[in-house]
Amino acid sequence: MKPVGEEPVLLAELKPGRPQRYDWKSSCETWSVAFSPDGAWFAWSQGHCVVKLIPWPLREPELSCKAPERKSRSSKAEARSRAVAKEKTLECGQIVWGLAFSAWPAAEEGDTDPACTVGLPCLILATGLNDGQIKVWEVQTGHLLFSLLGHEDVVRDLSFAPNGSLILVSASRDKTLRVWDLSRDGRQVQVLSGHVQWVYCCSISPDCSMLCSAAGEKSALLWSMRSYALIRRLEGHQSSVVSCDFSPDSALLVTASYDACVIMWDPYTGEQLRTLRHVPLHSALDDSSEVHTSSLRSVCFSPEGLYLATVADDRLLRIWALDLRSPVAFAPMTNGLCCMYFPHGGFIATGTRDGHVQFWTAPRVLSSLKHLCRKALRTFLTTYQVLALPIPRKLKEFLTYRTF
């Protein structure tokens, strides 16, 4: 892989359609942005207790980059729904902190329309609210399906199992994570306790075997999605861990912290593989900047697993190549809070404190055959299984991301 040094270009910016209110309940921040797994919808918590559901690609003329052709098991059904898809406004009644789309359910062999056998719509959106509720919506119609009750404080983040099982994990300021089964009318399956501070982030691995949670602590917790037992604490940061994400093959985990570092872990062994340090660029900072200007807010993997995007308080979006310890591209942005790659690559969505969403170009890369083979193997082989293979040591190092 050859790093691409082109700076991200701002393609489009969406702004709230309502005038800003000044009471404390309005909260204009965009705490979360989300793309549906097939790239057909974009959700945006635009502040003022409102979520916008927008069909993708954007129809605004300022978006010059068209979305790539979608490839999914439900492409035919999605194409039919796109013909009548319209932008929707979800009135949530509370400040919205977390957003998550469900995965498309697996269609049974011979089915022409992958409708959910459990009676739920094919695509749903979960919203985490300020009062501890989780509201679950039907994407195509914008109808509220039901509310999940149990958390006692802000629901800060949400993560659906990528396998279409409709298992949802929620992270809350009540210091717990809760596991819900939406195929069983939103039944609460498990409460995960172990954090002593607010839980900021949760992420389920693509193979659905692990869950990572990040709280206002110097360590992240790794849980089993099969037994819901704590596997290990990942210790290495010097300040609160606020964001986490798994690589597409589940072989890597990244955590971002207020200590201005991203740590890349092997989730199977708990080993730290690499540390990416965010050094402030003085040209992007003014004279009034404080010491903690590089405190990180968000980190996410690119869809092919070769890049990371990070948003920090030093007013920069950074893009990193996994094989380098310094960013390959920067973009100036103000008051960034979150970031997410488009599921098929090519651009990144970022949310800001003023309720805006910005869309940036991202490096496009043709994955090497070596990386494609590694990604395919690591989708079903753990680190320990790779190390047990009768293959040369250098190949083991490559397959376990010790070398690139």
Side-chain angles (χ1 to χ4, degrees), residues 276-333:
L276 308 178
R277 303 185 186 280
H278 286 62
V279 179
L281 297 183
H282 297 289
S283 60
L285 305 173
D286 59 31
D287 296 335
S288 63
S289 297
E290 299 180 357
V291 175
H292 301 291
T293 50
S294 288
S295 293
L296 285 162
R297 293 289 171 179
S298 184
V299 62
C300 62
F301 266 99
S302 63
E304 80 288 325
L306 292 173
Y307 290 94
L308 294 175
T310 60
V311 169
D313 283 346
D314 62 358
R315 306 178 187 177
L316 288 173
L317 166 68
R318 290 174 171 84
I319 298 176
W320 308 72
L322 290 194
D323 57 343
L324 300 176
R325 295 181 186 271
S326 58
V328 296
F330 301 85
M333 61 175 298

Side-chain angles (χ1 to χ4, degrees), residues 166-342:
L166 294 178
I167 293 295
L168 174 69
V169 175
S170 55
S172 171
R173 283 186 180 178
D174 66 9
K175 306 174 187 177
T176 70
L177 298 113
R178 293 174 189 255
V179 184
W180 314 83
D181 188 348
L182 301 194
S183 70
R184 302 167 69 183
D185 297 321
R187 176 180 175 180
Q188 183 174 288
V189 176
Q190 192 79 21
V191 178
L192 305 182
S193 301
H195 287 290
V196 296
Q197 300 292 337
W198 293 351
V199 188
Y200 290 122
C201 181
C202 59
S203 180
I204 300 176
S205 62
D207 66 1
C208 298
S209 68
M210 296 172 285
L211 165 70
C212 182
S213 58
E217 305 157 9
K218 296 179 182 179
S219 59
L221 301 187
L222 198 63
W223 311 80
S224 167
M225 280 297 292
R226 297 184 177 93
S227 66
Y228 300 116
L230 179 63
I231 299 174
R232 65 172 52 87
R233 291 181 179 270
L234 300 174
E235 298 180 336
H237 285 289
Q238 303 303 310
S239 189
S240 298
V241 183
V242 295
S243 184
C244 57
D245 195 24
F246 284 93
S247 62
D249 58 5
S250 304
L252 297 172
L253 170 69
V254 287
T255 54
S257 167
Y258 286 158
D259 65 8
C261 290
V262 169
I263 296 180
M264 186 187 306
W265 309 83
D266 184 322
Y268 295 103
T269 65
E271 181 182 350
Q272 293 185 37
L273 302 181
R274 185 153 295 190
T275 299
L276 308 178
R277 303 185 186 280
H278 286 62
V279 179
L281 297 183
H282 297 289
S283 60
L285 305 173
D286 59 31
D287 296 335
S288 63
S289 297
E290 299 180 357
V291 175
H292 301 291
T293 50
S294 288
S295 293
L296 285 162
R297 293 289 171 179
S298 184
V299 62
C300 62
F301 266 99
S302 63
E304 80 288 325
L306 292 173
Y307 290 94
L308 294 175
T310 60
V311 169
D313 283 346
D314 62 358
R315 306 178 187 177
L316 288 173
L317 166 68
R318 290 174 171 84
I319 298 176
W320 308 72
L322 290 194
D323 57 343
L324 300 176
R325 295 181 186 271
S326 58
V328 296
F330 301 85
M333 61 175 298
T334 303
N335 298 325
L337 290 175
C338 57
C339 60
M340 185 178 189
Y341 268 91
F342 181 65

Side-chain angles (χ1 to χ4, degrees), residues 17-269:
R18 300 184 179 189
Q20 183 168 342
R21 291 166 14 205
Y22 294 97
D23 62 287
W24 67 272
K25 293 182 180 180
S26 65
S27 181
C28 66
E29 295 93 346
T30 294
W31 290 107
S32 295
V33 294
F35 288 102
S36 62
D38 64 354
W41 290 89
F42 176 74
W44 160 35
S45 64
Q46 65 168 32
H48 312 293
C49 310
V50 167
V51 170
K52 281 287 187 182
L53 265 175
I54 303 172
W56 199 263
L58 292 179
R59 294 185 174 88
E60 280 75 6
E62 64 266 31
L63 185 62
S64 58
C65 178
K66 294 184 178 180
E69 182 180 352
R70 303 182 193 97
K71 297 179 181 178
S72 69
R73 291 173 295 185
S74 53
S75 58
K76 292 183 179 179
E78 184 270 320
R80 288 197 297 271
S81 67
R82 274 289 293 166
V84 294
K86 295 181 180 180
E87 178 179 316
K88 297 170 182 65
T89 299
L90 307 181
E91 299 280 356
C92 296
Q94 291 281 330
I95 297 169
V96 181
W97 291 80
L99 295 173
F101 281 99
S102 66
W104 284 96
E108 298 293 333
E109 188 173 350
D111 282 357
T112 56
D113 190 349
C116 297
T117 56
V118 298
L120 285 176
C122 283
L123 188 64
I124 58 179
L125 176 73
T127 56
L129 306 183
N130 197 63
D131 63 355
Q133 284 191 78
I134 301 168
K135 290 189 175 181
V136 180
W137 309 81
E138 180 182 354
V139 170
Q140 188 60 37
T141 64
H143 292 159
L144 178 65
L145 296 174
F146 45 78
S147 296
L148 306 178
L149 304 177
H151 282 298
E152 299 174 359
D153 208 334
V154 171
V155 177
R156 185 63 184 85
D157 197 22
L158 298 160
S159 181
F160 272 101
N163 61 3
S165 64
L166 294 178
I167 293 295
L168 174 69
V169 175
S170 55
S172 171
R173 283 186 180 178
D174 66 9
K175 306 174 187 177
T176 70
L177 298 113
R178 293 174 189 255
V179 184
W180 314 83
D181 188 348
L182 301 194
S183 70
R184 302 167 69 183
D185 297 321
R187 176 180 175 180
Q188 183 174 288
V189 176
Q190 192 79 21
V191 178
L192 305 182
S193 301
H195 287 290
V196 296
Q197 300 292 337
W198 293 351
V199 188
Y200 290 122
C201 181
C202 59
S203 180
I204 300 176
S205 62
D207 66 1
C208 298
S209 68
M210 296 172 285
L211 165 70
C212 182
S213 58
E217 305 157 9
K218 296 179 182 179
S219 59
L221 301 187
L222 198 63
W223 311 80
S224 167
M225 280 297 292
R226 297 184 177 93
S227 66
Y228 300 116
L230 179 63
I231 299 174
R232 65 172 52 87
R233 291 181 179 270
L234 300 174
E235 298 180 336
H237 285 289
Q238 303 303 310
S239 189
S240 298
V241 183
V242 295
S243 184
C244 57
D245 195 24
F246 284 93
S247 62
D249 58 5
S250 304
L252 297 172
L253 170 69
V254 287
T255 54
S257 167
Y258 286 158
D259 65 8
C261 290
V262 169
I263 296 180
M264 186 187 306
W265 309 83
D266 184 322
Y268 295 103
T269 65

